[in-house]
Amino acid sequence: MTRTDARRALVFGASGQIGAALLARLAAAGWDVDAVSRAPPSANGPGLRWHAGGFPDVVAPDAHFDAVFSCGPLDAFSLWYADATLRAARVIAFGSTSLETKRAAGDPGERALAATLAASEARVFAAAHASGATATLLRPTLVYGAARDASLSRIAALARRTGVFVLPRDARGLRQPVHVDDLAEAALAAVSAPAAAGQAYALPGGETLPYDAMVRRVLAALPERPRLLRVPSPLFRIALAAAHAGGRLHGLPAGAVARMREDLVFDATPAARDLGYAPREFRPTREMLVAG
Ligand SMILES: NC(=O)c1ccc[n+]([C@@H]2O[C@H](COP(=O)([O-])OP(=O)(O)OC[C@H]3O[C@@H](n4cnc5c(N)ncnc54)[C@H](OP(=O)(O)O)[C@@H]3O)[C@@H](O)[C@H]2O)c1
């Protein structure tokens, strides 16, 4: 049942780590929500209706939405939105700072990802303009907080399993991990921020710290207290190449180790000015890193 006095939102990627945080914010703010998932939960909540669907075949409910949020794959959303007949005043979509950091990457796959993100953002802005809506693009940095991210939670899982986490000594590139709840708050703030119309914002976390310090804090949050082992960088690279060759290393993209040396730092000033964005410092707890 919809509540006639409530603002109404359509949320894609609602089952994801950012999407789930956004659903909680929308519920707390009294929004009426339609959420889309390829495998929706069987039960709806108060003011929350789940719909089964996935891009490119999503059929949106025939309603007027005050806001549409995209918290899933931006390219798929942008292609769908460009063809959709959707009545929505505001579109808030998550992209990624990879649009900037991977633009000139050595790896062609990473360059292609950056190009796809840029094209997707442009498509969302154009489609919003064509339908009389306004769009805002939000680009998070390294996301954590829901114990299901593919970076810090993965580091925590590996370290808990082995009791140790190994890093090359030069893994000192700067990072700004950002909590899912800060991203959800920014998305909600964007709806009622006139200055955010037609803008894209980097959303870094509230603290900038070297990669090895970030890992140290992750390990310190775990009850097992795994050790951080720092090894000479050439040795690390030889061991990594051997692990790759032996098929013992999966899911570490080409360039990921080299990037540990690089600063990936973004300016939060525009988001602070237009969205009141004030992300927390990086103080991870076990619950933010380990599921269950
Ligand atoms: N994680 C990061 O560190 C990070 C960093 C920068 C930017 N971002 C961006 O932030 C956004 C959200 O990231 P996240 O980490 O919260 O994602 P996530 O936890 O992996 O969730 C992604 C969501 O996308 C939905 N989805 C995937 N394929 C879909 C399809 N074909 N049709 C419809 N829905 C689909 C999934 O929903 P169902 O499975 O329920 O269908 C899922 O809820 C993404 O645009 C991501 O690129 C993430």
Side-chain angles (χ1 to χ4, degrees):
M1 207 169 83
T2 57
R3 295 169 295 187
T4 48
D5 56 337
R7 287 194 286 178
R8 188 162 180 182
L10 176 62
V11 182
F12 294 102
S15 67
Q17 51 174 347
I18 300 174
L22 179 63
L23 285 195
R25 294 259 153 184
L26 288 167
W31 283 65
D32 201 79
V33 176
D34 291 277
V36 179
S37 169
R38 291 165 300 172
S42 48
N44 293 324
L48 170 64
R49 287 165 304 281
W50 284 97
H51 302 271
F55 300 125
D57 302 317
V58 175
V59 179
D62 182 19
H64 175 272
F65 294 99
D66 297 284
V68 174
F69 297 91
S70 168
C71 309
L74 181 63
D75 56 339
F77 170 74
S78 71
L79 290 165
W80 175 83
Y81 177 54
D83 281 342
T85 44
L86 192 62
R87 285 176 288 138
R90 293 285 284 122
V91 176
I92 315 293
F94 281 95
S96 174
T97 48
S98 296
L99 182 154
E100 292 176 45
T101 55
K102 295 184 177 157
R103 204 193 313 255
D107 178 46
E110 294 190 340
R111 283 201 303 279
L113 170 67
T116 300
L117 283 167
S120 304
E121 285 199 1
R123 199 177 291 121
V124 171
F125 281 129
H129 183 73
S131 68
T134 52
T136 300
L137 265 295
L138 302 176
R139 302 173 183 161
T141 51
L142 193 160
V143 177
Y144 77 101
R148 49 195 281 207
D149 63 275
S151 20
L152 300 186
S153 291
R154 193 176 282 177
I155 289 174
L158 186 62
R160 292 179 77 216
R161 211 164 43 242
T162 60
V164 65
F165 195 79
V166 186
L167 274 182
R169 285 220 175 102
D170 59 2
R172 304 267 311 152
L174 296 175
R175 291 295 183 277
Q176 299 167 307
V178 61
H179 194 283
V180 285
D181 286 342
D182 293 330
L183 296 171
E185 189 160 328
L188 205 51
V191 176
S192 14
Q199 300 298 318
Y201 297 93
L203 296 181
E207 188 174 354
T208 304
L209 71 176
Y211 195 99
D212 57 351
M214 176 180 76
V215 171
R216 223 183 272 285
R217 287 208 203 156
V218 168
L219 303 187
L222 302 174
E224 298 85 358
R225 292 298 159 101
R227 276 185 320 120
L228 177 63
L229 183 63
R230 305 182 67 216
V231 298
S233 307
L235 189 66
F236 185 86
R237 276 185 268 287
I238 290 167
L240 197 68
H244 264 300
R248 280 179 284 117
L249 198 62
H250 304 287
L252 194 64
V257 174
R259 253 199 310 279
M260 290 177 192
R261 295 194 296 269
E262 290 169 20
D263 294 343
L264 302 181
V265 175
F266 300 88
D267 183 9
T269 313
R273 180 195 62 217
D274 294 349
L275 309 177
Y277 183 60
R280 72 200 65 189
E281 292 185 343
F282 184 56
R283 297 279 179 263
T285 62
R286 181 193 182 281
E287 291 64 38
M288 294 176 192
L289 299 164
V290 180

